């Protein structure tokens, strides 16, 4: 891997973890670690055609920067969709992502499979290998992740399956020269305070830490210690825990069971934020001002 490389384009594929649940924005959309990472990468000075970073080029005059001196711009596409199994990620996302030829590609998938009551982990590992192989055809730097796990009985029940999946991720990284971001080993991300009420997705602070972890894994200068433990706190009392358990069961567990029993998925009918169902391919978005990119939801679509 070329550390501190200049990334001018980034495509993210996967499931709800990469889509950004449950880092909610006021308009009801999700942000998540991939959007946060894209916004930060957009501010990194890009090299000009001659190899000089744009920040070192002559400063713009009052009339603006001549076109020949402008940064080529940073492009981003998030194709991830909640609820997707690894086979669906292969079939629906990997081809379009590879065709975009991004400098940087992230792949996180398979956890929805291994958390199901019945799962052929060997088949999941084979499908993950197919996904990684297809994405590397695009020529960009591949990033894989060992997903975080929330402390609790669910984690302990599925730990053997997860560790088999993560062993495959390590093997694929060695095969394809991919970067592995080890979130599974993080003690901070196991803290329930970094998880949303549904107990399946990280909250805003959890996503911020993941974005920082990927940023550092790419060889970029650290802004904070993403794995720093949270301050000690007084555990909630019995009554508060039972109230939270009842709310979780009513708002999240029962609907999840209902979808499993009826063969439905939370991702049915959805496409990635930057995927055109009409064209059957992904599209790029880019900030109007790379020095102040703002939320990805405000970026402009570029190309066709």
């Amino acid at each position: 891997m070329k550390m501190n490389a200049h990334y001018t384009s980034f495509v993210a594929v996967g499931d709800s973890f990469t889509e950004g649940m449950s880092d909610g924005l006021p308009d009801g959309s999700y942000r998540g670690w991939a959007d946060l990472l894209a916004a930060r990468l957009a501010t990194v000075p890009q090299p000009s055609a001659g190899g000089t970073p744009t920040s070192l080029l002559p400063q713009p005059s009052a009339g603006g920067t001549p076109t020949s001196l402008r940064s080529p711009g940073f492009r981003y596409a998030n194709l991830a969709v909640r609820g997707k199994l690894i086979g669906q990620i292969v079939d629906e996302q990997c081809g379009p992502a590879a065709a975009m030829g991004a400098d940087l590609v992230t792949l996180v998938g398979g956890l929805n499979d291994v958390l199901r009551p019945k799962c052929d982990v060997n088949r999941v590992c084979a499908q993950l290998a197919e996904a990684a192989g297809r994405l590397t055809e695009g020529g960009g730097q591949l990033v894989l992740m060992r997903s975080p796990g929330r402390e609790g009985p669910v984690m302990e029940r599925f730990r053997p399956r997860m560790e088999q999946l993560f062993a495959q991720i390590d093997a694929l990284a060695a095969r394809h020269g991919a970067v592995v971001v080890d979130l599974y080993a993080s003690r901070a991300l196991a803290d329930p305070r970094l998880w949303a009420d549904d107990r399946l997705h990280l909250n805003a602070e959890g996503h911020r830490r993941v974005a920082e972890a990927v940023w550092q894994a790419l060889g970029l200068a650290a802004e904070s210690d993403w794995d720093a433990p949270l301050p000690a706190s007084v555990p909630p009392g019995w009554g508060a825990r039972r109230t939270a358990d009842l709310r979780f069961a009513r708002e999240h567990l029962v609907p999840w069971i209902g979808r499993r029993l009826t063969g439905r998925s939370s991702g049915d009918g959805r496409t990635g934020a930057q995927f055109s169902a009409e064209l059957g391919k992904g599209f790029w978005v880019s900030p109007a001002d790379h020095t102040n990119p703002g939320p990805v939801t405000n970026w402009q679509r570029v190309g066709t």
Side-chain angles (χ1 to χ4, degrees):
M1 171 187 175
K2 182 180 179 181
M3 304 299 284
N4 295 304
H6 291 283
Y7 298 106
T8 61
S9 53
F10 167 31
V11 171
V13 303
D15 51 33
S16 58
F17 177 71
T18 301
E19 183 185 348
M21 295 177 71
S22 289
D23 182 8
L25 294 173
D27 65 359
S29 63
Y30 292 112
R31 179 176 53 184
W33 66 266
D35 282 12
L36 291 169
L37 178 64
R40 290 182 68 181
L41 289 171
T43 66
V44 177
Q46 303 299 332
S48 67
T52 303
T54 54
S55 61
L56 301 181
L57 292 172
Q59 295 300 306
S61 63
T65 305
T67 302
S68 60
L69 297 183
R70 288 178 184 162
S71 166
F74 179 83
R75 299 170 300 160
Y76 169 61
N78 191 330
L79 308 186
V81 179
R82 68 193 70 174
K84 293 300 181 181
L85 303 175
I86 185 59
Q88 294 171 313
I89 293 172
V90 172
D91 293 340
E92 300 168 12
Q93 299 178 32
C94 289
M100 298 179 82
D103 297 335
L104 179 67
V105 183
T106 59
L107 165 64
V108 187
L111 211 59
N112 283 334
D113 300 77
V114 300
L115 292 180
R116 293 197 167 199
K118 294 182 179 180
C119 172
D120 182 345
V121 184
N122 290 329
R123 183 168 183 266
V124 172
C125 288
Q127 291 172 320
L128 186 67
E130 182 180 357
R134 295 187 67 176
L135 290 172
T136 54
E137 292 174 359
Q141 174 63 59
L142 179 64
V143 174
L144 305 172
M145 295 189 201
R146 294 160 60 93
S147 302
R150 185 181 187 274
E151 290 180 349
V154 173
M155 175 70 172
E156 294 309 312
R157 176 183 178 186
F158 293 104
R159 187 183 297 275
R161 292 181 180 180
M162 293 172 65
E163 292 185 344
Q164 183 178 345
L165 179 68
F166 296 156
Q168 170 71 329
I169 287 171
D170 292 341
L172 292 173
R175 183 185 309 168
H176 297 293
V179 175
V180 175
V181 184
D182 190 2
L183 306 176
Y184 178 66
S186 167
R187 294 184 62 85
L189 289 177
D191 191 317
R193 289 175 290 174
L194 291 182
W195 293 73
D197 290 342
D198 64 6
R199 305 180 183 181
L200 285 174
H201 303 102
L202 294 171
N203 58 24
E205 173 61 13
H207 279 283
R208 185 198 67 78
R209 288 176 179 243
V210 172
E212 178 67 26
V214 181
W215 175 269
Q216 293 181 24
L218 293 174
L220 297 162
E223 182 178 88
S224 63
D225 180 2
W226 66 269
D227 200 21
L230 275 68
S233 65
V234 178
W238 184 89
R241 295 198 305 272
R242 297 293 77 77
T243 299
D245 288 343
L246 289 172
R247 184 172 61 249
F248 161 72
R250 181 179 65 253
E251 297 179 2
H252 303 289
L253 181 59
V254 171
W256 182 86
I257 292 173
R259 290 194 298 272
R260 295 288 80 75
L261 292 176
T262 57
R264 294 178 292 116
S265 167
S266 57
D268 288 348
R270 295 181 179 272
T271 62
Q274 282 80 49
F275 183 85
S276 169
E278 179 182 1
L279 298 176
K281 63 180 183 179
F283 59 85
W284 298 110
V285 292
S286 182
D289 179 1
H290 74 274
T291 64
N292 184 28
V296 168
T297 51
N298 294 336
W299 289 14
Q300 302 170 344
R301 181 169 174 171
V302 296
T304 58

